[in-house]
Amino acid sequence: MSDSEGDNLDFLQKCPLERLSTFFHEVVDGLCGHRQPRFQDYAKVWNIGEWFTVINSTQKVFKTAVKCNATTEQLLKVLDSVPTDYQKVILDCYNVRKDDIRRTLVENTAAISQAHLTDFDWKLKLAMASDKLASVHEPLLTLDLDLQEEQGKKSISVEMNEDELKRMITSLEAANKAVLQLKS
């Protein structure tokens, strides 16, 4: 987690300490798809420009902390420009709500696709002959995929020879590498 994540949190100090916990929980609620904090409730604290800066910066800190699985020390390092009393309120909210934020981030990531894999099964067969050749001796892999879609479950069965299997494995390894790069 980089120190620049907390750069725009200076405006937090304008909010009275007794309202800060409610504000942070409302920000997390907004992140989780529930009721977001309303500007009207905080119009006496921040102007509209400061409001958007505070909301975006706070969301960014919470999301990044959860994505990086930040420790208390790492989060405190990011929040070093914020007064200690305010840091404590942020840490309390983070510790209570990090599971909610993580669940929402995972759901948002999973929502990219309409279907997701729920189960799979595979079988290896040896084709001894075909209708065109008397002797083949070719290994074949049968892969059964169970997908969950909006309409319900769907099963897909794929049969591959050795070359097709190698291409599929190469594609899956490339996809895994891309996912790992996105995580870091």
Side-chain angles (χ1 to χ4, degrees):
M1 205 171 159
S2 69
D3 294 344
S4 65
E5 303 295 338
D7 283 350
N8 293 320
L9 294 175
D10 297 336
F11 294 126
L12 281 177
Q13 297 175 43
K14 293 178 79 173
C15 185
L17 195 57
E18 59 275 0
R19 293 186 70 189
L20 208 55
S21 179
T22 303
F23 171 73
F24 287 136
H25 283 283
E26 288 176 349
V27 169
V28 173
D29 285 343
L31 271 174
C32 295
H34 305 295
R35 183 182 171 270
Q36 295 187 11
R38 298 178 329 153
F39 174 70
Q40 295 88 337
D41 297 338
Y42 297 92
K44 292 181 180 174
V45 177
W46 297 294
N47 65 41
I48 192 74
E50 295 169 341
W51 170 255
F52 284 115
T53 300
V54 168
I55 292 290
N56 292 335
S57 298
T58 306
Q59 287 179 344
K60 185 177 179 183
V61 166
F62 281 132
K63 282 195 237 178
T64 305
V66 169
K67 281 193 250 182
C68 297
N69 202 20
T71 63
T72 301
E73 293 77 26
Q74 290 171 320
L75 194 52
L76 285 173
K77 187 176 178 186
V78 170
L79 300 172
D80 65 349
S81 67
V82 179
T84 308
D85 297 348
Y86 288 67
Q87 289 177 2
K88 183 183 180 325
V89 176
I90 294 170
L91 284 172
D92 289 344
C93 182
Y94 171 72
N95 289 328
V96 169
R97 303 293 300 272
K98 67 182 166 188
D99 291 336
D100 296 335
I101 298 168
R102 181 173 308 287
R103 187 177 321 105
T104 298
L105 292 175
V106 169
E107 287 172 1
N108 290 344
T109 302
I112 291 171
S113 174
Q114 306 303 340
H116 62 275
L117 184 67
T118 56
D119 198 11
F120 70 95
D121 189 25
W122 62 274
K123 297 175 197 134
L124 186 60
K125 302 175 186 176
L126 184 62
M128 300 298 286
S130 73
D131 59 346
K132 296 185 171 100
L133 295 172
S135 178
V136 175
H137 297 289
E138 180 180 24
L140 296 172
L141 178 84
T142 303
L143 180 62
D144 297 318
L145 304 172
D146 294 330
L147 303 175
Q148 179 67 45
E149 295 181 326
E150 290 179 7
Q151 301 84 8
K153 290 194 175 196
K154 178 180 178 182
S155 294
I156 297 175
S157 186
V158 180
E159 189 172 272
M160 296 176 269
N161 64 26
E162 189 174 358
D163 291 335
E164 293 168 329
L165 178 61
K166 285 180 183 177
R167 282 196 305 266
M168 186 183 93
I169 290 172
T170 302
S171 297
L172 290 173
E173 286 173 343
N176 186 44
K177 184 178 178 182
V179 168
L180 291 175
Q181 286 177 346
L182 289 174
K183 282 184 178 181
S184 60

